[in-house]
Amino acid sequence: MNSNYQHSDITQLILKSFYKVYNTLGYCFLEKVYENAMRIELRKIGLVCIAQQPIDVFYDSEKVGVYYADLIINSCVIVELKAADGLAPEHEAQLTNYLKATNIEVGLLLNFGRQPQHKRKVFTNDRKDHN
């Protein structure tokens, strides 16, 4: 299977939930409000959703910090939520770093800004140092 389509069934469900939450709440809330609403919506459609999952970060085999992923869906997709004017390169870099630090290969960046935005990132495990 082409890695670009990996977990596309789940990411499509997540995106449908994103637009449902966005159309219901609009923009200008804090990220935590959207995180809570997304958790509710994703669970309603039968997805397993873990919020604020800690992700250890290693440097030279030593733990140097912890990231907290906004949502991990079905143990296979990381979702990073933003409530910004627009997506910035550092938002994409943050999601890529989460993917690099885990065995999860697919991530979604969702922005609840003035205009809803999303980006899908894939970082395959064969490209990661920890395998």
Side-chain angles (χ1 to χ4, degrees), residues 2-72:
N2 183 331
S3 64
N4 288 331
Y5 298 105
Q6 189 173 12
H7 305 304
S8 62
D9 53 340
I10 293 171
T11 58
Q12 287 176 355
L13 291 171
I14 295 167
L15 289 173
K16 284 181 185 177
S17 296
F18 164 62
Y19 283 104
K20 183 171 183 182
V21 169
Y22 184 88
N23 290 332
T24 301
L25 293 178
Y27 67 98
C28 283
F29 286 104
L30 295 174
E31 288 174 18
K32 192 67 173 174
V33 170
Y34 297 114
E35 178 185 306
N36 291 336
M38 284 294 295
R39 272 195 354 244
I40 292 167
E41 196 57 41
L42 292 166
R43 287 181 180 152
K44 279 185 355 189
I45 61 172
L47 297 177
V48 177
C49 183
I50 299 172
Q52 297 301 315
Q53 175 74 39
I55 298 171
D56 293 335
V57 180
F58 292 88
Y59 176 80
D60 211 16
S61 300
E62 292 189 46
K63 184 176 170 181
V64 293
V66 179
Y67 276 131
Y68 292 89
D70 289 337
L71 301 171
I72 296 186

Side-chain angles (χ1 to χ4, degrees), residues 98-114:
Y98 288 164
L99 294 173
K100 286 179 182 179
T102 66
N103 287 323
I104 296 175
E105 297 178 301
V106 178
L108 286 175
L109 182 58
L110 307 177
N111 185 36
F112 291 89
R114 188 177 300 274

Side-chain angles (χ1 to χ4, degrees), residues 74-91:
N74 283 23
S75 300
C76 64
V77 178
I78 294 176
V79 175
E80 181 61 24
L81 304 172
K82 298 295 175 196
D85 288 337
L87 291 177
E90 55 268 23
H91 298 146

